[in-house]
Amino acid sequence: MAKSGYTRPPPTAEDAAALPAPSAVLYVANCGPVVGLTHDDVAAAFGAFGEVEAVSAADDSGARVIVRFREPAAAGAAMAALHGRPCARLAGRVLHMRYSVPAPPKAPVAVSAPPVALSSSELGIPGVHLVQEFVTAAEEQELLAAVDSRPWKRLAKRRVQHYGYEFLYETRNVDSKQFLGELPSFVSKILDKIVTFPGVKNCTGKLVDQLTVNEYPCGVGLSPHIDTHSAFEEMIFSLSLAGPCIMEFRQYPKGSWRAPSVVSGTDEGSIQDPQCIRKSVFLPPRSMLLMSGEGRYAWHHYIPHHKIDDVAGQVIKRNSRRVSFTLRKARMGLCECEYGQFCDSQSK
């Protein structure tokens, strides 16, 4: 039964009968850091129904969490009282919930990491180009100071800033009708230099008009994904600052790749497919990566969640934050690329 602080009456026997058999774990959407609610806030609110063991991020959106109770009955009471209803203790948010039943444990499968390339020619993926020392150390510090002087938006595992157009994590797209303004002046030198970048094709208009700045804490990575075809044009630039990382590229056979779990953000099992081709490249600070053509449209890119990377037999520690500047051009129509199996415009 719900404790004080909730105006809804306790669930009836009919309410409980209509619900699935509860587990002790709830997946809760429409609350989290991105809407101004900390995990402590969520734990306090759900604690009205029973002892909460943990609250954790469900994914990188910052708007979905996992609430783990000690007892299934507490989760059932919370589900009956709050699913689809506003929660007074969570700023009146209307919560959307479901039970989350952990999958049975699997025997660990040893999967060796691919060799780490130090150059784009060594990587050998069409359309992927890497330039070392794209900016100077002094320019790097100027760029970091510029973004640190501006407000960040907090997601589950990282902080972000958006310019030109805001990237919408719920849809993995941009609203092309909501123009935020021209790109900030602190990236003007970068914009001047990328027009001569290896692999850049002739462009009659602006090369890029959207910037996402990501700040990754030590060891935090990124789940495998292809930037949505309908959201952005072909060329995607990524400037690495402050800390290094390894970026892995994966080419999955048609129909075998599954999207990362919305609960855990992982892709367990996908790389066990013997037909999955994996390649890695080292991205040191101040390097710029261009993904275009096949490398942009048909390869998933991924940053492993590691605190230590093995690069050509050398141990590289991720002992500082990493800040990336991702520069893209918003697409104003459908994508008509030749990689239809990965293209959201052509799969509808």
Side-chain angles (χ1 to χ4, degrees):
M1 179 179 294
K3 298 181 182 179
S4 60
Y6 291 90
T7 57
R8 304 291 304 188
T12 64
E14 289 78 10
D15 291 331
L19 296 170
S23 73
V25 185
L26 295 177
Y27 170 86
V28 184
N30 202 30
C31 73
V34 78
V35 295
L37 300 172
T38 68
H39 289 178
D40 288 341
D41 295 332
V42 178
F46 279 82
F49 301 96
E51 184 177 351
V52 175
E53 291 188 333
V55 175
S56 58
D59 52 32
D60 286 342
S61 70
R64 294 182 284 266
V65 298
I66 299 297
V67 179
R68 183 181 298 274
F69 287 95
R70 181 173 292 277
E71 298 294 338
M79 170 71 85
L82 294 181
H83 175 55
R85 301 171 181 176
C87 177
R89 290 188 177 181
L90 294 177
R93 307 292 297 183
V94 176
L95 305 181
H96 304 284
M97 303 158 61
R98 67 171 182 260
Y99 293 111
S100 178
V101 181
K106 299 178 181 179
V109 177
V111 180
S112 59
V116 179
L118 300 178
S119 66
S120 48
S121 60
E122 185 181 347
L123 181 67
I125 297 178
V128 177
H129 302 271
L130 176 67
V131 172
Q132 311 275 0
E133 298 295 330
F134 185 78
V135 297
T136 67
E139 290 170 335
E140 175 185 40
Q141 293 307 310
E142 291 173 1
L143 291 168
L144 292 171
V147 294
D148 283 336
S149 70
R150 298 185 175 219
W152 293 91
K153 176 182 289 188
R154 186 171 295 279
L155 301 183
K157 296 180 181 179
R158 64 186 192 275
R159 299 193 300 175
V160 300
Q161 296 178 19
H162 299 290
Y163 300 93
Y165 296 91
E166 183 172 6
F167 185 74
L168 306 174
Y169 293 94
E170 294 288 338
T171 61
R172 295 188 178 274
N173 212 317
V174 296
D175 184 352
S176 59
K177 298 180 181 178
Q178 295 293 322
F179 183 55
L180 304 178
E182 299 295 330
L183 296 184
S185 58
F186 61 78
V187 295
S188 58
K189 291 182 180 179
I190 297 175
L191 300 181
D192 291 339
K193 292 179 70 174
I194 61 174
V195 296
T196 60
F197 201 90
V200 168
K201 300 175 181 178
N202 294 331
C203 185
T204 57
K206 288 183 179 179
L207 194 60
V208 296
D209 59 11
Q210 194 273 338
L211 166 65
T212 294
V213 182
N214 284 282
E215 180 195 58
Y216 300 90
C218 301
V220 172
L222 191 65
S223 296
H225 70 285
I226 295 176
D227 285 39
T228 309
H229 288 204
S230 64
F232 303 109
E233 297 283 356
E234 178 182 350
M235 289 179 285
I236 297 175
F237 298 87
S238 180
L239 176 66
S240 295
L241 301 176
C245 76
I246 287 176
M247 179 172 285
E248 181 175 313
F249 290 85
R250 296 180 179 177
Q251 189 177 63
Y252 296 89
K254 184 175 182 178
S256 71
W257 183 77
R258 296 178 301 165
S261 164
V262 296
V263 174
S264 67
T266 65
D267 64 326
E268 293 178 2
S270 62
I271 62 172
Q272 297 173 24
D273 190 321
Q275 295 182 341
C276 172
I277 301 173
R278 302 168 61 208
K279 297 186 176 186
S280 290
V281 65
F282 178 56
L283 303 181
R286 299 183 294 281
S287 65
M288 177 73 89
L289 183 76
L290 167 63
M291 293 179 286
S292 63
E294 180 184 322
R296 178 268 191 268
Y297 286 131
W299 289 72
H300 293 75
H301 59 278
Y302 160 55
I303 300 175
H305 298 269
H306 292 168
K307 290 190 175 181
I308 296 177
D309 291 316
D310 183 350
V311 180
Q314 181 180 359
V315 174
I316 303 294
K317 294 183 179 180
R318 295 193 206 172
N319 53 8
S320 69
R321 66 171 179 166
R322 175 177 175 265
V323 177
S324 69
F325 282 47
T326 302
L327 292 147
R328 301 170 282 206
K329 183 172 177 60
R331 191 185 294 276
M332 298 304 169
L334 296 177
C335 177
E336 299 178 351
C337 70
E338 60 184 284
Y339 305 96
Q341 75 182 81
F342 305 105
C343 184
D344 61 306
S345 290
Q346 299 175 53
S347 62
K348 292 179 180 179

